[in-house]
Amino acid sequence: EQAPKVEFYNDVTGSETTADMKTVANVLNFKGVGRNTLFDILRKENVLQNDNRPYQKYIDSGWFRLIESKWNNPNTGDVEINFKTVVYQKGIEYIAKLLRELGYQKIEVA
């Protein structure tokens, strides 16, 4: 009876795809936890730094990845670098566990 769930879990945790924080918040579906709140919680729990970059140990654990993008600032003509934090499936599982431990509740789907 549990075989499909176990197979799905194994597929998801072994996945090499990532999701941005908005997607993570939507998929996890905890009450009152959107993208910005999720960033705030992860900063308070010392998972993310003040600039929303994950601490290295969480990158090394295979939970997060930083994506670097370069762009030309039209005002200065300088090439600037932005970083975006994305989450692997293992990280989504960790975040879900953390939110449950902090007392957040899932939204019930009718």
Side-chain angles (χ1 to χ4, degrees):
E1 186 177 309
Q2 294 293 325
K5 289 181 182 179
V6 170
E7 184 176 327
F8 172 76
Y9 177 81
N10 288 338
D11 288 344
V12 167
T13 56
S15 174
E16 291 299 314
T17 60
T18 59
D20 62 20
M21 284 296 181
K22 180 180 179 186
T23 302
V24 172
N26 289 340
V27 166
L28 292 180
N29 206 26
F30 280 86
K31 288 181 188 174
V33 180
R35 174 189 171 272
N36 293 343
T37 303
L38 186 55
F39 272 125
D40 187 48
I41 292 166
L42 294 174
R43 283 191 305 268
K44 286 179 182 171
E45 294 298 315
N46 294 312
V47 175
L48 300 179
Q49 302 172 56
N50 288 337
D51 59 3
N52 290 335
R53 293 185 200 184
Y55 285 99
Q56 189 63 46
K57 69 179 183 178
Y58 296 107
I59 293 172
D60 293 344
S61 296
W63 296 346
F64 295 94
R65 177 176 167 211
L66 278 177
I67 297 176
E68 177 183 310
S69 62
K70 297 178 184 174
W71 61 286
N72 291 319
N73 185 327
N75 298 324
T76 64
D78 293 336
V79 174
E80 298 194 13
I81 299 173
N82 283 346
F83 292 95
K84 179 179 181 178
T85 297
V86 292
V87 187
Y88 285 108
Q89 295 299 327
K90 286 187 342 185
I92 294 173
E93 287 293 316
Y94 170 77
I95 292 169
K97 179 178 177 244
L98 177 66
L99 291 174
R100 284 191 298 273
E101 288 172 358
L102 292 172
Y104 288 91
Q105 300 292 315
K106 301 249 321 155
I107 296 172
E108 298 297 324
V109 179

